[in-house]
Amino acid sequence: MKRKISLLLSSALAFSAFASAQTASSDTLSLSVDECVAIALDENPTIKIADMEITRVDYSKRETIGQLFPNITFSAAYSRTLAKQTMYMNNGGQTMAIKMGRDNTHNAGFNATVPIVSVALWKSIKLSDNQILQNIEASRTSRISLINQVKNAYYALLLAYDSYAVLLENHATAKVNAEIYEKKFKNGTASEFDVLRSSVAVKNIEPSIIEAENSIRSLELQLKVLMGMDVAQGIKPSATLSDYKSSMYADVMTLDTDLSMNSDLRKLDLQTDYLKKVVDVQKAGWYPTIGASIGYNWYSMSDGSPFKGFNWSPNSSVGISLSWTLFNGAQRYYKQRQAELSYKEMAWQRDNLSRTLEMQRQIQLDNIQKNVKQIETCTASVEQAVKANQIQEKSFKIGASTYLDLRDSEDAVMSSKLAYYQAIYNFLVAKSDLELLLGNAEAQYPTNAKEAKERTLNILSEKQF
């Protein structure tokens, strides 16, 4: 009993010392995976850039729509005649020279043009609608990709913490054994070889512990960067890998395997629709364009100073123009044929993508099923290793087994626990990758910017301590 208490105390003290070192500079936020994802979706710069792209394309659409409205311009001009035009006339056999024009000419006025029939312009507006949808889908792709990255980083951090705890436990056990042999050596009941062997066992674990500590620091920094948080802010997971084992079977039974929300498939469908609209735009080039114009201008001509003697005369006009390209070297025809072929190519690409996605989905499902079986195997392995270690401890106390046998059983417990946590981690990553493939990971998180911001602020205010 004393030995077990000593093991627990040593492990707890070592782990708390590391945790204290990690959070000495700032308060620590204890966050769940869903809270990390929610913060990342609100604070990560990649998501903000994707949302800004949607707004930019919307402005582009409004620019195109603006071409349907009248284009009104105001213009003004002044010109000074340096040499007046001379007209010659015959008068009774004599030639007379007459100077024509004025020194100063002023004009100013308003002109407006508006398209009445412009099929190509109307079709172009539909292209803008499709571009907005493509940017929305690109933003959604960024969101589900970020969710996958944050989840995988969080699960990797859980694996690092749990593996670190297992190593600390094994290190504490080896340290207790080394202390026992040190005391036995002083009492003359153990050899120096036994002391050295137990001390080496302690030293052999320490590099793995240091590596685990560095891994935890690196993974915490990676997670904070994905979340868009200050790297000085301390964070820690509020769960362990074992917490996910209880819901493992429910997660497997309720897996959604529908590929209709797959981002690549949706983007390909939008691109196909875009190319179809491009074909419509090319066909619209065969139609004429009709526009209307109206103008109201003022003219003034005078001699002498350009700043006086104005004599303004108004002038107004209304007109309709027709523009119809009858022949341009068959350019329209070949452009239309190119657009039609590109549109037909997308159907073949979609078939190929669908088959590829079906294969990837089946592989992910097989990985999940394999990981579930591996978790069950590792669970039984941990139970057997712990039981075998307990038997070896009793045998070692009565002298029925050697220290090497005891150490082998302790290493077996450590290896089985590490394999158990690795199996749970593999299951969670496979499930997260399947969500990325299916494209349905974002459904549980707010998409409204205001709602997401409020949620993030609530998380940070509630978790700070």
Side-chain angles (χ1 to χ4, degrees):
M1 179 62 71
K2 291 181 179 180
R3 184 170 181 270
K4 291 183 178 180
I5 293 174
S6 177
L7 287 174
L8 292 174
L9 288 175
S10 299
S11 178
L13 289 173
F15 192 80
S16 62
F18 174 67
S20 299
Q22 289 288 95
T23 61
S25 60
S26 60
D27 294 332
T28 301
L29 296 177
S30 179
L31 301 172
S32 67
V33 62
D34 288 338
E35 290 169 338
C36 289
V37 170
I39 294 174
L41 290 176
D42 183 47
E43 299 295 334
N44 189 279
T46 303
I47 303 301
K48 295 182 178 180
I49 293 173
D51 292 339
M52 292 173 68
E53 277 296 301
I54 297 175
T55 305
R56 184 188 64 80
V57 175
D58 181 59
Y59 289 152
S60 177
K61 176 190 174 183
R62 297 185 183 189
E63 176 188 0
T64 305
I65 293 176
Q67 299 179 39
L68 296 174
F69 292 89
N71 182 19
I72 302 174
T73 60
F74 172 79
S75 61
Y78 164 75
S79 64
R80 176 79 176 184
T81 302
L82 299 179
K84 296 179 181 181
Q85 185 178 0
T86 303
M87 179 179 292
Y88 295 92
M89 299 179 63
N90 291 325
N91 185 11
Q94 295 183 353
T95 303
M96 298 179 59
I98 302 175
K99 298 287 187 179
M100 300 183 61
R102 296 290 186 93
D103 294 337
N104 308 301
T105 302
H106 302 79
N107 67 78
F110 295 91
N111 293 276
T113 58
V114 60
I116 299 176
V117 176
S118 181
V119 181
L121 179 58
W122 300 338
K123 298 297 183 181
S124 298
I125 294 175
K126 294 183 178 181
L127 280 180
S128 299
D129 290 335
N130 183 276
Q131 289 175 341
I132 292 176
L133 293 177
Q134 289 192 49
N135 278 53
I136 291 175
E137 183 59 31
S139 176
R140 195 182 75 90
T141 301
S142 298
R143 289 172 60 86
I144 60 179
S145 177
L146 180 62
I147 291 172
N148 174 260
Q149 294 178 46
V150 172
K151 282 187 174 182
N152 289 352
Y154 187 87
Y155 298 146
L157 184 59
L158 291 183
L159 177 63
Y161 266 107
D162 287 338
S163 299
Y164 180 69
V166 171
L167 292 172
L168 285 180
E169 182 181 354
N170 189 267
H171 180 267
T173 302
K175 191 173 182 180
V176 169
N177 291 333
E179 292 174 352
I180 292 174
Y181 272 104
E182 183 71 25
K183 292 178 181 178
K184 286 185 177 182
F185 176 73
K186 291 180 179 179
N187 295 330
T189 58
S191 65
E192 185 179 3
F193 176 74
D194 292 329
V195 175
L196 294 175
R197 184 169 55 186
S198 60
S199 177
V200 169
V202 175
K203 298 296 183 182
N204 286 340
I205 304 174
E206 291 176 353
S208 298
I209 293 177
I210 295 173
E211 184 179 353
E213 291 175 351
N214 292 333
S215 177
I216 288 175
R217 293 188 184 96
S218 299
L219 290 170
E220 284 181 348
L221 288 173
Q222 178 184 352
L223 183 58
K224 283 186 280 190
V225 169
L226 288 172
M227 293 168 61
M229 296 183 64
D230 186 355
V231 294
Q233 172 65 59
I235 62 171
K236 67 178 182 179
S238 62
T240 63
L241 288 173
S242 298
D243 296 337
Y244 292 92
K245 185 175 181 296
S246 58
S247 60
M248 178 179 63
Y249 294 106
D251 291 341
V252 173
M253 294 299 294
T254 58
L255 281 177
D256 181 10
T257 59
D258 184 16
L259 282 169
S260 61
M261 294 297 291
N262 176 267
S263 182
D264 291 335
L265 201 60
R266 287 166 62 93
K267 285 191 289 188
L268 187 62
D269 289 340
L270 288 171
Q271 291 171 5
T272 302
D273 182 66
Y274 179 83
L275 291 177
K276 184 177 182 300
K277 288 180 170 59
V278 169
V279 173
D280 294 337
V281 171
Q282 295 300 327
K283 290 180 178 180
W286 296 90
Y287 295 94
T289 299
I290 301 175
S293 62
I294 182 172
Y296 197 91
N297 298 273
W298 294 268
Y299 295 91
S300 176
M301 301 179 69
S302 63
D303 290 324
S305 174
F307 303 106
K308 62 182 180 178
F310 296 109
N311 186 17
W312 294 103
S313 299
N315 177 49
S316 60
S317 63
V318 175
I320 294 179
S321 62
L322 171 66
S323 176
W324 194 354
T325 303
L326 299 178
F327 181 74
N328 64 346
Q331 295 181 40
R332 288 176 300 183
Y333 172 77
Y334 291 116
K335 284 183 179 179
Q336 180 179 329
R337 294 296 294 167
Q338 291 178 54
E340 290 172 347
L341 286 176
S342 298
Y343 173 66
K344 292 178 180 178
E345 288 173 1
M346 298 302 287
W348 294 102
Q349 292 185 26
R350 195 184 194 285
D351 290 341
N352 184 55
L353 178 60
S354 297
R355 287 192 293 268
T356 303
L357 293 176
E358 287 288 347
M359 177 195 68
Q360 293 177 354
R361 177 176 64 179
Q362 190 57 50
I363 291 175
Q364 293 293 350
L365 290 173
D366 292 343
N367 285 338
I368 290 175
Q369 296 293 338
K370 179 191 69 175
N371 290 323
V372 170
K373 295 178 181 178
Q374 188 175 2
I375 291 172
E376 292 302 318
T377 301
C378 290
T379 301
S381 176
V382 170
E383 294 175 354
Q384 294 173 358
V386 171
K387 185 175 182 180
N389 179 248
Q390 292 173 349
I391 294 174
Q392 282 293 344
E393 285 180 350
K394 294 178 182 179
S395 299
F396 180 73
K397 287 180 181 180
I398 62 176
S401 62
T402 64
Y403 171 75
L404 288 178
D405 295 330
L406 176 62
R407 191 62 198 152
D408 286 343
S409 67
E410 292 171 348
D411 289 341
V413 171
M414 180 184 68
S415 299
S416 62
K417 286 184 177 180
L418 292 176
Y420 167 74
Y421 290 128
Q422 183 68 48
I424 297 179
Y425 167 78
N426 291 340
F427 167 77
L428 293 173
V429 170
K431 180 172 172 287
S432 176
D433 290 342
L434 178 62
E435 291 175 349
L436 175 64
L437 178 67
L438 299 177
N440 56 9
E442 64 162 356
Q444 58 182 309
Y445 302 104
T447 56
N448 180 273
K450 182 178 180 181
E451 182 182 353
K453 189 68 176 179
E454 291 177 353
R455 177 170 175 170
T456 300
L457 292 175
N458 290 336
I459 291 172
L460 296 178
S461 61
E462 291 175 1
K463 294 294 181 179
Q464 195 77 34
F465 61 88

